[in-house]
């Protein structure tokens, strides 16, 4: 299937889901609290902190896209052996990730971060070391919850994958920036960290919803393909038996 075969409304739904998933994932304290702590320790301005947020978010999604590209190539190779498997596998992975986040939110209580308090920053290091340390922190950890979406859209073409990666990038940086600004403006870090529990619930529901969207889209495609095959089969000449 080419990217042009994807209906605009479905494409917008997928991109919206990609943005929301990335935003919610970026709301985890590991994606914003280190920037607040380092910014205070280095006595950075908010603009400089947000600059490091943008750079680290870009590196995070770049690595995620690279891993996603490998998954797409492996999936396309598998598709040659088992036709139509990828969308079903992607939907199952999305369901499993969604169930995992819902279970984690139900079974685990929100824990305070293991870093120092916001009003007692660590001693300063060089600004360059602090900046690249923050970038490397996210660059070495691809967004695991985003990877099933690459598998789900593996057969849709590079244009769709590119737009989806852009939605991931915007959602990730937006989520990191919003919570960094809130914490830097004086909101309680521990209160914001409690969002992690509710974030897991919302993220789990969002992943399951996207899985349902992928599954319904796959079912509709298969139904259309069967309907298209019926006229072709009926158009074949029938050879009757002589009486």
């Amino acid at each position: 299937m080419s990217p042009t075969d994807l209906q605009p409304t479905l494409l917008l739904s997928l991109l919206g889901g990609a943005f929301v998933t990335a935003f919610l994932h970026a709301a985890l304290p590991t994606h914003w609290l280190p920037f607040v702590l380092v910014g205070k320790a280095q006595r950075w301005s908010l603009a400089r902190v947000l600059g490091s947020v943008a750079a680290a978010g870009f590196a995070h999604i770049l690595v995620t896209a690279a891993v996603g590209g490998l998954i797409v190539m492996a999936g396309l190779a598998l598709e040659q052996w088992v036709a139509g498997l990828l969308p079903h596998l992607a939907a199952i992975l999305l369901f499993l990730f969604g169930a995992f986040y819902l279970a984690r939110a139900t079974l685990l209580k929100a824990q305070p971060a293991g870093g120092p308090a916001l009003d007692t920053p660590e001693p300063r290091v060089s600004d360059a070391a602090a900046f690249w340390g923050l970038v490397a922190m996210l660059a070495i950890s691809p967004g695991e919850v985003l990877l099933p979406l690459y598998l789900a859209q593996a057969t849709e073409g590079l244009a769709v994958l590119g737009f989806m990666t852009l939605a991931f990038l915007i959602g990730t940086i937006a989520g990191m920036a919003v919570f960094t600004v809130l914490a830097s403006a004086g909101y309680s870090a521990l209160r914001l960290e409690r969002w992690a529990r509710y974030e897991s619930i919302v993220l789990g529901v969002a992943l399951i919803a996207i899985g349902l969207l992928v599954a319904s889209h796959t079912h509709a495609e298969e139904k259309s393909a069967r309907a298209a095959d019926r006229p072709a089969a009926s158009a074949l000449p029938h050879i009757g038996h002589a009486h």
Side-chain angles (χ1 to χ4, degrees):
M1 172 178 295
S2 65
T4 56
D5 293 330
L6 202 61
Q7 296 180 357
T9 53
L10 180 59
L11 178 60
L12 290 177
S13 298
L14 291 173
L15 294 181
F19 173 87
V20 170
T21 303
F23 184 95
L24 293 174
H25 182 61
L28 289 171
T30 53
H31 286 67
W32 54 266
L33 185 57
F35 297 88
V36 179
L37 297 175
V38 171
K40 286 186 174 291
Q42 298 296 119
R43 299 181 179 90
W44 285 350
S45 66
L46 181 59
R48 191 163 190 175
V49 172
L50 291 179
S52 66
V53 164
F58 180 83
H60 185 50
I61 296 303
L62 183 64
V63 173
T64 300
V67 176
L70 295 176
I71 291 175
V72 167
M73 289 188 290
L76 291 177
L78 182 63
E79 181 80 357
Q80 296 178 357
W81 294 93
V82 186
L85 175 66
L86 291 188
H88 298 287
L89 179 58
I92 291 173
L93 289 176
L94 288 167
F95 290 146
L96 291 177
F97 271 113
F100 166 77
Y101 276 91
L102 289 176
R104 189 178 73 170
T106 302
L107 299 176
L108 299 180
K109 296 181 178 179
Q111 299 292 331
L118 289 180
D119 55 352
T120 56
E122 292 290 333
R124 294 183 64 185
V125 297
S126 70
D127 286 337
F131 176 85
W132 290 112
L134 290 171
V135 172
M137 175 191 68
L138 287 186
I140 61 176
S141 58
E144 71 282 353
V145 300
L146 307 180
L147 297 177
L149 292 176
Y150 281 101
L151 185 61
Q153 305 306 315
T155 60
E156 301 294 350
L158 292 178
V160 171
L161 294 175
F163 281 123
M164 189 174 66
T165 300
L166 182 61
F168 287 157
L169 177 63
I170 296 173
T172 297
I173 294 178
M176 293 169 62
V178 165
F179 281 85
T180 298
V181 169
L182 289 176
S184 298
Y187 284 81
S188 168
L190 296 182
R191 184 176 302 171
L192 286 175
E193 283 175 352
R194 293 191 184 100
W195 165 254
R197 179 169 185 173
Y198 302 103
E199 180 268 352
S200 294
I201 295 174
V202 178
L203 181 56
V205 172
L207 288 171
I208 291 175
I210 295 173
L212 289 173
L213 179 64
V214 171
S216 63
H217 174 56
T218 303
H219 177 71
E221 282 188 331
E222 291 176 345
K223 186 176 180 181
S224 298
R226 287 194 298 268
D229 288 340
R230 290 194 193 102
S234 61
L236 293 176
H238 294 280
I239 302 177
H241 294 284
H243 294 284

